[in-house]
Amino acid sequence: MADSPSRRVLVVGGGITGSTLALALAQRGVHVILVELRRELGGVGHGITLQGNALKAFHSVGILDELAEHGCAFDRLRMFRADGVQIMEMPAPPMGGPGLPPTMGALRARLADILARRVAGAGVDVRTGTTVTAIDDRGHEVVATLSDGTTETVDLLVGADGIRSSVRSMIGIDTSPRSVGMGIWRVVAQRPKEMDCSGLYYGGPKYKAGYTPISDDLCYAFLLEGNLDRSFVGEHPNGKILKERGQGYGGVWGQVRDSLADDAVVNYQYIEAILVDEPWFRGRTIVIGDAAHACPPLIAQGAAMCAEDAVVLADMLTGGDGIDEVLPAFMARRLPRVKMVLDNSLLMAEWEIHPDTPGADPGRLMGQTLGALCEPA
C-alpha cells in the first residue's frame, strides 16, 4: 500500500479507534473515507486515564502536545483501604518510552474533539449521520453500501464501530459481548488540591472506588459495584444517588463524593467484554479496537489497546506489503497483547467481585501487566 497513496480505505466508526486510524492513514497519503452514525465527531464522554502506551500512539499521530495542554500528567498510582489509609504506592512504568509521561488524565470529550479537528484537517472524507448497511467483498476490493443509499468501492474496509459492531456481524463473526458482572459509575468533579495521581480504594462496601486528575481543577471519579436496574444506565442528574451509593469510602475519594451536587450529571454503564479469537478479517474487511477486543476498565488499557491497533495497522498497511498479507500479520501481532490485557482485566474483575479468592493480589497483577506493556506494540 505504501507505493499507492491513492488507495482507498473506508473506516466505519469515528471514536478513538476509527479517528486515530483515519488520521494515521491520511498522514501517510492514503485516501480515507470515515463514516460515523452520530451527527458529529468529537465531544462525548467523561474522564479517561491514558497510560504511556496510549500516549505513544497519540504522539505518533501528532496530537499529544495539544492533549497535554489540557490534561494532567503523573507518574504513580496509589492504593488505599476504603477508609483512606494508604496500602501502597506504585510507580507507573514508562510504557510510552523515554520522553513521554507515564500516565495522563484527560477529558475524553477533549480527546475526541482534538481527533475530530485533526481528522478534518488531514483531508479525511468525513461523513456523519452515515454508516454501512451492506458489504460486498469481492476479494480484490470491497463495495460498501452506505445508509444514504450511495456505494463506495475501496481497497479495504475497517470496522472500528465498537463493542456492538455491525461490521463484525455483517462479515459473519458471531462473537458477542458478555457481562462481567459489574457496573461503573463515572463523574467529573472538582479536583482536591492533594490529588496528584490516580488512586484506587479497596475493601469497602462496593467493589472499588477510584479517581484520576484530568486537569488543573478537575478530576474523574468512579465507583464499581454490581449491575443495577437498567433505568440507571446512561447519563442522568444522579449526583445524589452516587453520593448515597459511595458511602463508606474516606480519604480524597470521600472528599470528591461529598463535593458533588445532588443534580450532578453521572454516567452509569454495565461493564462488558469481548474477544474475537477467530480471524478478525474476512477478505478485505477487518474489525479492530473494541469491535475485536474490549476489556473491562480495571487496568485502564481500553483506549490504549484501541489506539495501538490504529497506529500499528496504519504502519503495516503503508509498509510495502499487500493488504492480503497485512491483515493476518496484523492480527498475529496484536492478538497476544490484547488477550493478555483482557485476560488480566477479567481476572482483576473476578478478584474485585470475590476479594477473598486465594492468591488474589490486584496490585501485583496490575504491575505485571503494565510492565509487560513496556514492550513495543
Side-chain angles (χ1 to χ4, degrees), residues 13-322:
I16 291 174
T17 311
S19 292
T20 304
L21 175 63
L23 180 56
L25 286 173
Q27 290 171 341
R28 292 160 172 80
V30 177
H31 180 87
V32 184
I33 303 165
L34 175 64
V35 297
E36 165 56 49
L37 193 54
R38 290 176 296 139
R39 291 293 172 184
E40 58 183 25
L41 297 181
V44 293
H46 34 77
I48 189 170
T49 304
L50 299 169
Q51 302 198 52
N53 55 329
L55 301 179
K56 181 179 180 180
F58 295 135
H59 178 67
S60 75
V61 293
I63 69 166
L64 180 57
D65 287 349
E66 184 176 357
L67 185 62
E69 291 174 9
H70 306 282
C72 177
F74 51 94
D75 63 358
R76 65 201 63 215
L77 166 71
R78 296 192 182 101
M79 296 182 177
F80 302 91
R81 294 190 331 212
D83 60 6
V85 173
Q86 184 171 312
I87 301 169
M88 65 179 294
E89 180 176 287
M90 179 190 304
M95 291 179 284
L100 294 182
T103 316
M104 183 181 294
L107 272 172
R108 183 180 288 264
R110 180 85 66 182
L111 171 59
D113 287 343
I114 293 170
L115 279 168
R117 189 168 60 254
R118 296 296 185 90
V119 162
V124 174
D125 180 357
V126 178
R127 305 182 193 178
T128 55
T130 308
T131 191
V132 170
T133 57
I135 298 171
D136 180 10
D137 196 316
R138 299 178 178 178
H140 63 290
E141 64 184 14
V142 181
V143 179
T145 302
L146 305 184
S147 53
D148 61 6
T150 62
T151 61
E152 288 292 341
T153 301
V154 295
D155 298 284
L156 176 68
L157 188 152
V158 181
D161 50 342
I163 193 169
R164 304 203 182 284
S165 169
S166 60
V167 172
R168 186 178 65 229
S169 300
M170 279 190 264
I171 63 174
I173 300 173
D174 58 8
T175 309
S176 299
R178 70 175 182 87
S179 173
V180 172
M182 284 179 158
I184 183 167
W185 296 92
R186 296 177 170 108
V187 66
V188 172
Q190 291 298 306
R191 172 185 171 185
K193 285 184 171 56
E194 55 266 55
M195 183 190 295
D196 59 357
C197 68
S198 285
L200 300 174
Y201 289 67
Y202 293 93
K206 308 302 183 188
Y207 296 144
K208 183 172 67 177
Y211 53 70
T212 291
I214 59 175
S215 74
D216 289 343
D217 56 356
L218 294 176
C219 69
Y220 151 56
F222 61 87
L223 180 70
L224 287 165
E225 61 172 318
N227 288 340
L228 304 179
D229 187 82
R230 188 166 291 278
S231 63
F232 290 109
V233 173
E235 289 200 340
H236 306 285
N238 280 342
K240 182 178 181 181
I241 294 173
L242 177 55
K243 286 196 289 185
E244 292 169 352
R245 303 200 69 85
Q247 292 300 314
Y249 292 91
V252 175
W253 200 93
Q255 292 180 45
V256 174
R257 175 200 60 222
D258 294 343
S259 75
L260 297 176
D262 286 352
D263 61 351
V265 175
V266 177
N267 183 285
Y268 176 81
Q269 296 291 337
Y270 299 146
I271 296 177
E272 296 179 306
I274 190 171
L275 177 65
V276 177
D277 56 9
E278 58 184 300
W280 299 348
F281 56 92
R282 300 290 187 274
R284 288 195 171 189
T285 302
I286 187 170
V287 292
I288 69 170
D290 283 349
H293 51 82
C295 63
L298 280 297
I299 307 179
Q301 274 291 309
M305 292 297 101
C306 290
E308 282 187 357
D309 270 8
V311 297
V312 168
L313 183 57
D315 284 343
M316 294 180 71
L317 286 170
T318 56
D321 291 333

